[in-house]
Amino acid sequence: MDERLRIIISGGGTGGHIFPAVSIANAIKAKQPDAEILFVGALGRMEMQRVPAAGYEIVGLPICGFDRKHLWKNITLPFKMWKSDRMVKRILRDFQPQAVVGVGGYASFPTLAAAEQLHIPTLIQEQNSFAGKTNKMLGEKARKICVAYEGMERFFPAEKIIMTGNPVRQNVLESNLSQEEARKLFGLDPQKKTILLVGGSLGARTINESMLQHLDTLAATDVQFIWQTGKYYHAAINEQLKKYKDLPNLKVTDFISNMGTAYKAADLVISRAGASSISEFCLIGKPVILVPSPNVAEDHQTKNAMALVNKEAAIYVKDAEAPATLLRIALDTVADTAKLSSLSDNILKLGLKDSADIIADEVIKLATKP
C-alpha cells in the first residue's frame, strides 16, 4: 500500500478561511514533499479559483448556507446537503486520507462530519475569538482544535485546544523594503505619513463611504492614503474622484496583490476585523483602526476587535459611526507618534509566530499515529 501522507483540507468561502488553509498545506508539503493534499470546497465560492492557483487540487460540493433574506431559495438546501454528504463519503473512500483538516466555511461541516463517522482523525483550525456553530459541533469529536485566542475553552474541550495562532500570507512577512521604498512603489512621497485603507471586497462599503463623504478633507490634508476600494466599488469611486483634478496624496486601487509592501508603506491601517487580517497586524506590529463588519455570523468580527482593544492594541470604530467619525479619528491617530508607537508595541505582543508549521506538525502527528 502507498505509504505517502494523504491529507484532506476542507472549507473556504472567504480569504480568511482560504489563506490559512493554503498556508497549512504549504507547511505540510515543506515537511513531507511527497504528501498528497486534496482540498474540498463549496462550488461557486472563492476557493474554487484560489486553491488551484496555489497549486492544489480541489473538489467542489453543492453545499450552501441558509439564506435568511430569500427564504424560498432554501427549498433545495436539504437536497444539496444530502448530495454533499454522498459526495464526501465517496471522496473519503477514494482518497483514503489519514487525517482531515477543517478551516471553516460551508464545505467543512459535511467533510469533517463524514470523516468523524468513518473514524478518520480530524483537526479544526478556528480563526476567530468566538467560535461558530459549525466548529462547535465538529469540536465534540475532533482530535485537536487549533486556536488563535485565549479563552476558547468556552467553546471546546480544554484538553483538545492548542494555541497556535492563525497562519498568514508569507508575502506579508517577507517584505525587505524600507518604508520609504514601499511608498515610492505606490507613487507616493516617501517622507509623508501614510494611511492604508483595506475593506476586503464587498466588505469595503462602509470604509469607502467613510472616505467618500469627506473628500474635501482628503484633498486638503497632507497625509497620504493607499485606498483599496474592492473591485465592486472601484469604478463608481473613480467617477466621484474626477471632480478633484489633482490628488497626489491619494493612491486608489481595486486590489493590492502584495499586501506586505502596502503594510510596510503605511503608518496606520484601517481595516475590517477578520481573523486573518488581525493575525497579520499582530505579527508585523502594525497600528490599526478596526471597523468590524456587522454582516457576519454571531458578530464575530466585533469580538475579534475587542480582544485587541481590551489590551490597548487597536482602535475600534463601530460600523454605523464610521462615515461620520472614521477619517477624523484616523487623521488624529496618525499625527500622534506616541499613540502609534504604543499601538504597535501592544499589538506586537499578541503575535503568534510559525502558526502554519505548528499546525502542520499536529496534522502529521494525527495522520501517522498508530
Side-chain angles (χ1 to χ4, degrees):
M1 185 176 172
D2 190 343
E3 293 300 319
R4 283 182 295 180
L5 191 69
R6 295 181 305 283
I7 304 295
I8 282 179
I9 301 177
S10 185
T14 67
H17 295 310
I18 298 164
F19 296 141
V22 171
S23 294
I24 293 167
N26 290 342
I28 293 170
K29 292 288 280 186
K31 296 170 186 296
Q32 298 211 13
D34 63 346
E36 292 186 36
I37 299 175
L38 176 66
F39 281 75
V40 178
L43 287 171
R45 304 293 289 182
M46 189 189 297
E47 59 267 24
M48 300 308 295
Q49 285 77 45
R50 294 287 177 87
V51 169
Y56 295 100
E57 182 184 353
I58 186 168
V59 179
L61 305 179
I63 192 71
C64 62
F66 187 81
D67 193 328
R68 290 177 174 82
K69 292 183 179 179
H70 310 96
L71 294 178
W72 59 272
K73 290 186 177 181
N74 297 306
I75 293 171
T76 60
L77 189 57
F79 172 74
K80 289 179 178 179
M81 292 177 68
W82 173 81
K83 189 175 180 182
S84 296
D85 183 61
R86 291 283 297 271
M87 285 180 65
V88 162
K89 286 176 179 173
R90 187 167 65 247
I91 292 165
L92 293 172
R93 283 197 303 269
D94 293 345
F95 190 72
Q96 294 189 328
Q98 291 125 329
V100 176
V101 179
V103 295
Y106 299 138
S108 65
F109 182 77
T111 308
L112 269 72
E116 289 169 352
Q117 287 174 11
L118 296 171
H119 305 292
I120 300 167
T122 63
L123 176 147
I124 293 170
Q125 201 262 319
E126 172 57 65
Q127 293 108 28
N128 294 295
S129 63
F130 193 90
K133 291 177 182 176
T134 296
N135 274 354
K136 282 189 278 189
M137 288 189 287
L138 293 170
E140 294 177 12
K141 293 185 179 178
R143 304 282 181 88
K144 297 291 181 181
I145 301 163
C146 297
V147 302
Y149 291 89
E150 297 171 353
M152 297 304 285
E153 60 275 3
R154 292 175 294 160
F155 310 109
F156 304 116
E159 68 276 8
K160 296 182 180 182
I161 293 174
I162 306 169
M163 177 70 85
T164 61
N166 287 323
V168 301
R169 295 170 285 187
Q170 281 305 111
N171 68 3
V172 168
L173 305 177
E174 293 173 351
S175 176
N176 294 317
L177 297 171
S178 68
Q179 190 170 61
E180 290 77 15
E181 290 169 336
R183 287 174 182 165
K184 284 181 181 178
L185 286 176
F186 283 98
L188 297 173
D189 187 321
Q191 303 304 322
K192 289 185 178 180
K193 289 286 184 73
T194 303
I195 296 173
L196 170 65
L197 306 157
V198 284
S201 50
L202 293 177
R205 184 180 63 82
T206 295
I207 292 175
N208 289 342
E209 280 299 318
S210 301
M211 300 300 110
L212 289 172
Q213 290 187 24
H214 304 281
L215 288 177
D216 289 340
T217 303
L218 278 178
T221 182
D222 206 34
V223 174
Q224 301 177 132
F225 295 84
I226 301 169
W227 184 357
Q228 179 182 279
T229 63
K231 292 184 179 180
Y232 183 81
Y233 304 103
H234 189 61
I237 288 172
N238 272 338
E239 196 62 34
Q240 292 198 51
L241 291 174
K242 284 181 180 177
K243 65 182 75 169
Y244 295 87
K245 291 181 180 179
D246 189 26
L247 288 171
N249 65 327
L250 196 59
K251 171 66 177 179
V252 180
T253 180
D254 61 343
F255 179 73
I256 299 170
S257 57
N258 192 331
M259 287 305 300
T261 301
Y263 287 152
K264 186 62 72 78
D267 296 283
L268 176 69
V269 179
I270 296 172
S271 172
R272 290 304 200 180
S276 290
S277 296
I278 285 178
S279 293
E280 291 175 350
F281 303 143
C282 291
L283 286 170
I284 62 176
K286 188 60 61 174
V288 61
I289 298 175
L290 297 171
V291 187
S293 171
N295 304 313
V296 294
E298 296 169 316
D299 198 26
H300 67 248
Q301 284 205 4
T302 297
K303 297 177 177 72
N304 290 347
M306 294 313 296
L308 271 66
V309 172
N310 290 337
K311 295 185 178 180
E312 299 183 346
I315 295 169
Y316 164 58
V317 174
K318 193 174 181 179
D319 184 87
E321 298 171 359
T325 65
L326 179 58
L327 183 57
R328 175 182 54 78
I329 291 170
L331 291 173
D332 288 348
T333 303
V334 82
D336 188 339
T337 303
K339 181 67 172 177
L340 290 177
S341 179
S342 174
L343 287 169
S344 180
D345 290 344
N346 291 340
I347 200 169
L348 200 56
K349 293 173 187 174
L350 304 179
L352 294 169
K353 297 180 180 179
D354 305 318
S355 299
D357 278 337
I358 297 167
I359 295 169
D361 286 337
E362 292 297 328
V363 174
I364 293 168
K365 275 193 271 182
L366 272 187
T368 56
K369 191 173 181 180

